[in-house]
Amino acid sequence: MMNLAPHGDLVARLRAALPKGVLDDPADLAGFVTDWRRLHSNPALCVVLPTSTAEVATAVRLCAEAGVAIVPQGGNTGMVAGAVPVAGIPQVILSLRRMTAVRAVDAVGDSITVEAGVTLRAVQEAAAAVGRLFPLSLAAEGTAQIGGAVSTNAGGLQVLAYGSMRSLVLGLEVVLADGRVWDGLRSLRKDNTGFDLKQLFIGSEGTLGIVTAACLRLFPAIVQRATALVAVPSVARAVDLFQAVRGRTGGALTMCEYVAGDAMRLVARQVADARPPFDAPAYVLIELSSPSDQDPISLTLEQVLGEALEAGTAQDAVIAQSERERARLLRLREEISDAELASGGAVKHDTTVPIALIPEMVAATEALVRDRFPGCRLNVFGHLGDGNLHINVMPPEGQKVAELGPLYRTITEAVEELAMARGGSFSAEHGIGQMRAASLLRFKGEVDLELMRTLKSSLDPKHILNPGKILPSVAGSRG
């Protein structure tokens, strides 16, 4: 076990600077040092909980002077252990959860400026209060925070219509590795004055700087929605259905999710009061949205689904008749990860391939699991409309994912190879963190890696920001 005692002076200095913002009792640290999936847990010297950008800057500066690494943490809802310590080196967790101010809402310019600890749901509610929409939507939106969403370039259920977090960020405020503050917190839609520096920090997982506030795009509020759960005979027909709906509705299609039959049945077994209205080989969850009350979109959806049923593309369908029914349908999709965890966990994957190749990718993975990993269970679901499927492999019935041992990595390598061979990616929205770092080194080209290392060494020459994430060799260079 790592000896943390020599760094007691740093903890004392942090406590002096933030009298009510330092935790170092092991009991208090437990909820911070373990990732959401409960796969990684390593010690930290302490947890720092600043309430302002100035306090973040002070904490970073003190850690930099002491040569101690910092792990920025938001809601700790990530899937790749990107917000918890790595093994072997002293680290301080810097939690942004107390930075919860909504600094400004501009209904004319359609923007909102919030601090990093504000949850996604709180941003959605603040936008709704002025008749606007903040579209980023995740299953963990009640816990996930804006700083983490920016730093991981979060995706979610409506990337199809609004893009990932990168598309929603207008400006950022960032504390750099030496404690300086970069103020790029602007709401401008056009600012062509050199490098777009905010892009360096979006998706870099706190390895280049710590996001303390963000200015985000808002959209007109949704006036009407039409949400349907559709039974389809196969993933190929699911893709056909997506094409048919998109062709008829265009930009009104804001969500198109795929859930394999086994994934839906897993939810029904593990989650109370979560039952689909019908059993099916596979499901597609569709939502149309409009900021206008003209031309009822529910009628359009009924027509499209009627045609799909006649053509055999769909087998059955139900359209939500109330907000309560809509919430029930969305819950079936949102509970999959928790149901998976309750059933022993899974070797998770975040692959994306061209949409036309989704059926081929699923078939190849089914054959892979059947032939090379007999007894394991495939759990497939995800964002059909943008090509991002979570093709997860669960251990045999009655086992936990930790019992797979070395097979865990073998499964991951095999599934990711299938995606990469089809012009896809091994990480569509979850990021790299600790758990995809080896994959990044494996699949990225030398020029990619050299550019990343150059940026890291330039912005964080002491390599103190979130060590072991994205570029593990950089963390190792600290000794």
Side-chain angles (χ1 to χ4, degrees), residues 391-423:
I391 301 180
N392 298 345
V393 180
M394 300 176 65
E397 193 74 46
Q399 293 186 22
K400 294 187 179 299
V401 69
E403 297 176 50
L404 291 174
L407 200 60
Y408 189 108
R409 185 64 202 168
T410 303
I411 292 172
T412 288
E413 290 177 353
V415 172
E416 290 178 349
E417 283 177 357
L418 293 179
M420 298 300 291
R422 288 161 176 79

Side-chain angles (χ1 to χ4, degrees), residues 97 99-105 112-130 132-138 140-146 216 218:
R97 65 170 56 178
M99 294 187 61
T100 57
V102 176
R103 295 187 184 176
V105 181
I112 184 170
T113 302
V114 299
E115 292 182 341
V118 179
T119 65
L120 297 186
R121 181 169 296 157
V123 176
Q124 294 165 357
E125 292 171 351
V130 295
R132 297 294 183 269
L133 169 74
F134 180 67
L136 187 68
S137 178
L138 308 171
E141 61 194 26
T143 306
Q145 298 169 13
I146 286 298
L216 307 169
L218 299 180

Side-chain angles (χ1 to χ4, degrees), residues 134-371:
F134 180 67
L136 187 68
S137 178
L138 308 171
E141 61 194 26
T143 306
Q145 298 169 13
I146 286 298
V150 171
S151 298
T152 58
N153 188 28
L157 301 178
Q158 300 188 99
V159 171
L160 166 65
Y162 299 102
S164 63
M165 193 65 180
R166 189 180 299 278
S167 301
L168 303 176
V169 175
L170 294 172
L172 293 177
E173 177 185 84
V174 180
V175 174
L176 302 177
D178 58 4
R180 289 180 298 159
V181 178
W182 174 65
D183 182 6
L185 204 57
R186 296 171 181 83
S187 61
L188 300 176
R189 303 304 174 110
K190 288 184 174 181
D191 183 10
N192 198 11
T193 54
F195 299 141
D196 190 359
L197 294 176
K198 68 178 181 289
Q199 301 296 344
L200 294 175
F201 304 103
I202 302 171
S204 62
E205 302 184 30
T207 63
L208 303 181
I210 300 174
V211 174
T212 52
C215 183
L216 307 169
R217 294 178 64 193
L218 299 180
F219 296 82
I222 297 302
V223 174
Q224 55 170 328
R225 287 188 177 94
T227 308
L229 184 68
V230 186
V232 292
S234 66
V235 66
R237 297 291 78 78
V239 173
D240 290 342
L241 180 63
F242 163 66
Q243 289 181 288
V245 176
R246 183 180 59 177
R248 285 285 297 276
T249 64
L253 178 60
T254 51
M255 181 168 59
C256 188
E257 297 287 298
Y258 174 80
V259 181
D262 287 341
M264 189 68 80
R265 287 183 280 276
L266 179 68
V267 172
R269 288 196 305 271
Q270 295 291 346
V271 181
D273 300 322
R275 301 287 187 276
F278 37 71
D279 190 43
Y283 302 80
V284 179
L285 182 63
I286 293 171
E287 185 162 273
L288 306 183
S289 305
S290 174
S292 169
D293 59 2
Q294 298 180 359
D295 300 323
I297 56 176
S298 59
L299 296 180
T300 302
L301 185 57
E302 287 178 11
Q303 293 171 356
V304 175
L305 293 181
E307 294 168 2
L309 289 166
E310 289 182 6
T313 303
Q315 297 176 318
D316 205 343
V318 59
I319 299 177
Q321 299 302 307
S322 67
E323 185 59 32
R324 184 177 181 182
E325 289 185 11
R326 173 181 180 267
R328 286 178 176 174
L329 295 182
L330 292 181
R331 185 172 179 234
L332 295 172
R333 165 64 179 86
E334 293 169 348
E335 292 284 2
I336 296 175
S337 291
D338 283 341
E340 201 176 62
L341 189 63
S343 189
V347 184
K348 288 182 174 288
H349 303 103
D350 182 36
T351 59
T352 182
V353 296
I355 295 173
L357 297 183
I358 285 178
E360 179 184 316
M361 176 66 187
V362 172
T365 312
E366 290 172 343
L368 172 76
V369 172
R370 182 181 62 247
D371 297 342

